[in-house]
Amino acid sequence: MTDSVQTGSAATLAISQSDIEFLERLHTFRGKAEVVQFLEKYPFLVPTLRSAPEQIRRHFPDEQLFLQVVRDPEILNCADLVLSILTGREPEGALDRLNHLDKEWELGLPYEVRKVFVTILEFPDEF
């Protein structure tokens, strides 16, 4: 579980190995070292990532979930943690489901989370 650590006068969160192992059971990491490094920089994402599958399963019950750090090539030091939902659903229906997920869950996340975290759809190559 994420631990609180005192640094100077402010308490910050630190990510533990058990956090990483738990998240790996929920999500497939693409570029594990980069994902772990991102989570070490933004440990406040851990509770969101722990609860994400429960929220996502309401709309995408069987889809595989991936975590990956995506860098913006046009902005120096700008990156997001992307949670991809791999779905074989028809794109229009999948987008409707994603919009409902956004309204019911993602838009209610704290601003600091939404600033560095995004959920997207991914479709298999046969589309």
Side-chain angles (χ1 to χ4, degrees):
M1 180 182 288
T2 307
D3 301 314
S4 181
V5 176
Q6 285 287 22
T7 55
S9 61
T12 59
L13 297 174
I15 189 166
S16 70
Q17 184 60 35
S18 63
D19 286 326
I20 299 299
E21 291 167 1
F22 184 81
L23 292 175
E24 283 186 296
R25 288 193 296 271
L26 301 174
H27 315 273
T28 300
F29 286 15
R30 291 178 170 156
K32 180 180 177 178
E34 196 170 25
V35 170
V36 169
Q37 186 178 29
F38 195 90
L39 292 174
E40 288 171 343
K41 185 174 179 181
Y42 302 106
F44 58 81
L45 291 172
V46 171
T48 298
L49 296 174
R50 289 169 82 75
S51 67
E54 179 183 343
Q55 300 298 324
I56 292 167
R57 295 292 174 232
R58 294 176 183 164
H59 304 278
F60 298 95
D62 300 315
E63 280 74 356
Q64 190 172 0
L65 307 178
F66 296 91
L67 284 178
Q68 171 178 359
V69 175
V70 176
R71 301 197 177 283
D72 185 332
E74 297 181 5
I75 303 173
L76 186 63
N77 297 323
C78 182
D80 289 319
L81 185 63
V82 175
L83 192 159
S84 299
I85 303 167
L86 179 63
T87 183
R89 297 176 187 275
E90 291 299 317
E92 188 174 319
L95 287 171
D96 286 343
R97 289 172 181 259
L98 183 63
N99 287 334
H100 287 288
L101 176 65
D102 287 345
K103 289 176 188 171
E104 293 174 9
W105 175 63
E106 196 164 352
L107 292 175
L109 294 174
Y111 175 73
E112 70 177 353
V113 171
R114 289 183 287 123
K115 214 165 72 168
V116 294
F117 173 72
V118 65
T119 304
I120 65 168
L121 294 176
E122 184 176 322
F123 296 94
D125 292 337
E126 60 259 12
F127 278 113

